[in-house]
Amino acid sequence: MTGATPGLAPADVPAGHRPVICGLGMTELGKVYGRSAAQFAAGAVRLAAADAGLAFGDIDGLLVSSGVTNGVHLELAQDLGLHDLSLLAEMQSYGSTAGAMVQVASMAVMSGMASTVACVWADAPLRQGLSAAASYSAARQVPSGWRGLAAAAGLASANQRYALAARRHMERYGTTNDQLGAIAVAQRNWAALNPLAQLRDPITIEDYHASRWVAEPFRLLDCCLVSNGGIAVIVTTADRAAGLRQPPVWVRGWAQAHPGHSGRRFDDFGLVTGAATAGPAALAMAGIELADIDVVELYDCYTYTVLVTLEDYGFCEKGEGGPFAASGVLGPDGKLKVNTGGGQLSSYYMWGMTPLSEAVIQARGQGEDRQVAQHELVLVSGNGGILDHHSTLILAAAS
């Protein structure tokens, strides 16, 4: 794994040149039809600029990404009427992309390569009249090469591959479905407080066990939603953000890790993720300890992903994620404020933009009924591939 912090960190530059998130744009999310991924992306960037109080001419950088439909490309700059950009790129590291985009944008504004960078992710896999599973499957490409062999053997979806990872954790550490279910219940309790959430009705552990199997050991309530929509953030410098509409959210630290699990024998697939190296590296860049974190927004494509990420960041010992989750520590009344909007399990599935958007909302103090009282430091994770890619951000509220 990798995880070393880059040479240039926010603390290394004058305070006015340090990166902040100044704008957040969120389109309608969920079962929203009639728009392409590119249209959602354009709408999200426009909303982010309006949120910040920026004119479009102020944006001189654009980073774009899309989900399974691969519908957002460099042409988005032309669609938006953006000209003479200093930075323009497509990025893709799956669920870790949002965090990676903010990292690249932060380095760009710190170095002076660009002054104001929009980062946008959008997707539109849902189709009217089709189930979420059918829509998502139709949007995915048929695997080829080595992955094609695995698909021919029955490992054709992320559900099945993550199920293997979860089963290995269960076999090694005794993790149970009750413990996974506790995560689903806790996050639904958060979603009940979030007006943007797709699923807000509270659930019990009995409801969890009554939900159908998807890929054992995963039941339906272990698995994330499928959503249409787009989310964008705008990164600029502290000096540039000073006169804008929203309180700045400081980007204090970041790191990536790309384990590249190959499925070979004797590796640590399912037991350890990139969070184990990216987390400490991001904290070191920010100059803080894990105990300083107030709010935790984790990539939660599955309940298991929450559990193993909590372990790898060090919130509990390796192998103790199950008992930790079942202790009641994760819900609105719990000690550790995790996935405060309901996450991808209950709120909306915008890949890494789901935890990032909620982190910005919390750091600004704009979470309304779900707002965490102490929200100075927020940890954000992204997970991509099948535990192959990881990004960590440390965000800080305006002082």
Side-chain angles (χ1 to χ4, degrees):
M1 295 186 185
T2 60
T5 56
L8 185 65
D12 298 328
V13 299
H17 294 172
R18 293 174 186 172
V20 301
I21 296 172
C22 66
L24 171 64
M26 304 170 66
T27 68
E28 291 181 89
L29 304 169
K31 295 180 179 180
V32 185
Y33 305 108
R35 279 177 266 176
S36 67
Q39 289 171 325
F40 279 120
V45 175
R46 292 188 181 101
L47 289 169
D51 178 68
L54 287 166
F56 251 54
D58 296 324
I59 297 174
D60 62 352
L62 179 65
L63 300 174
V64 304
S65 187
S66 181
V68 295
T69 59
N70 193 31
V72 185
H73 302 288
L74 299 182
E75 290 76 16
L76 181 66
Q78 297 176 12
D79 296 342
L80 290 169
L82 297 175
H83 304 288
D84 300 318
L85 295 177
S86 300
L87 174 64
L88 176 63
E90 294 183 37
M91 293 184 61
Q92 180 61 279
S93 51
Y94 305 104
S96 67
T97 306
M101 286 197 291
V102 170
Q103 294 171 22
V104 171
S106 295
M107 289 186 283
V109 302
M110 283 197 308
S111 68
M113 177 182 178
S115 67
T116 309
V117 181
C119 307
V120 62
W121 186 94
D123 203 6
L126 287 176
R127 302 181 185 182
Q128 201 158 12
L130 290 180
S131 68
S135 297
Y136 205 70
S137 297
R140 296 190 68 87
Q141 296 181 348
V142 176
S144 60
W146 174 253
R147 289 193 177 275
L149 292 175
L155 291 175
S157 72
N159 290 336
Q160 295 160 335
R161 293 173 179 273
Y162 272 100
L164 282 179
R167 177 60 70 189
R168 188 176 188 192
H169 196 281
M170 296 170 99
E171 293 295 328
R172 176 67 64 89
Y173 299 117
T175 307
T176 68
N177 278 101
D178 274 351
Q179 293 164 348
L180 296 178
I183 296 171
V185 171
Q187 294 199 191
R188 183 63 65 84
N189 288 338
W190 279 113
L193 304 174
N194 182 3
L196 298 177
Q198 287 180 234
L199 301 176
R200 301 186 65 193
D201 292 336
I203 57 173
T204 65
I205 194 67
E206 289 76 22
D207 295 325
Y208 166 82
H209 282 293
S211 65
R212 63 177 174 85
W213 290 111
V214 172
E216 212 170 340
F218 291 151
R219 296 184 177 275
L220 182 64
L221 292 178
D222 286 302
C223 304
C224 66
L225 297 163
V226 179
S227 308
N228 289 352
I231 298 179
V233 296
I234 297 179
V235 178
T236 189
T237 61
D239 277 348
R240 180 70 185 86
L244 298 182
R245 182 170 295 156
Q246 297 289 349
V249 176
W250 297 77
V251 186
R252 286 273 301 270
W254 60 77
Q256 298 180 33
H258 302 274
H261 289 293
S262 63
R264 296 173 181 169
R265 294 178 66 187
F266 309 122
D267 68 11
D268 57 6
F269 176 70
L271 305 179
V272 180
T273 74
T277 46
L283 291 167
M285 177 185 277
I288 63 172
E289 304 290 335
L290 190 66
D292 298 322
I293 295 295
D294 301 307
V295 184
V296 183
E297 306 294 350
L298 301 181
Y299 192 95
D300 57 324
C301 46
Y302 302 92
T303 51
Y304 153 78
T305 319
V306 175
L307 184 150
V308 73
T309 306
L310 287 169
E311 291 180 348
D312 288 343
Y313 277 144
F315 289 105
C316 60
E317 294 296 322
K318 176 54 64 179
E320 292 299 316
F324 184 71
S327 71
V329 72
L330 302 181
D333 297 326
K335 182 178 179 180
L336 189 62
K337 306 305 181 184
V338 175
N339 291 348
T340 54
Q344 299 170 128
L345 294 174
S346 287
S347 187
Y348 48 85
Y349 182 55
M350 291 284 107
W351 282 19
M353 280 293 183
T354 299
L356 177 58
S357 59
E358 180 65 15
V360 173
I361 290 168
Q362 287 291 331
R364 287 178 173 181
Q366 297 173 351
E368 299 181 343
D369 290 345
R370 69 188 188 279
Q371 179 61 48
V372 175
Q374 185 67 31
H375 56 270
E376 181 180 352
L377 290 167
V378 186
L379 182 151
V380 186
S381 81
N383 166 67
I386 314 297
L387 306 177
D388 280 337
H389 312 286
H390 196 91
S391 63
T392 303
L393 293 172
I394 306 297
L395 305 183
S399 54

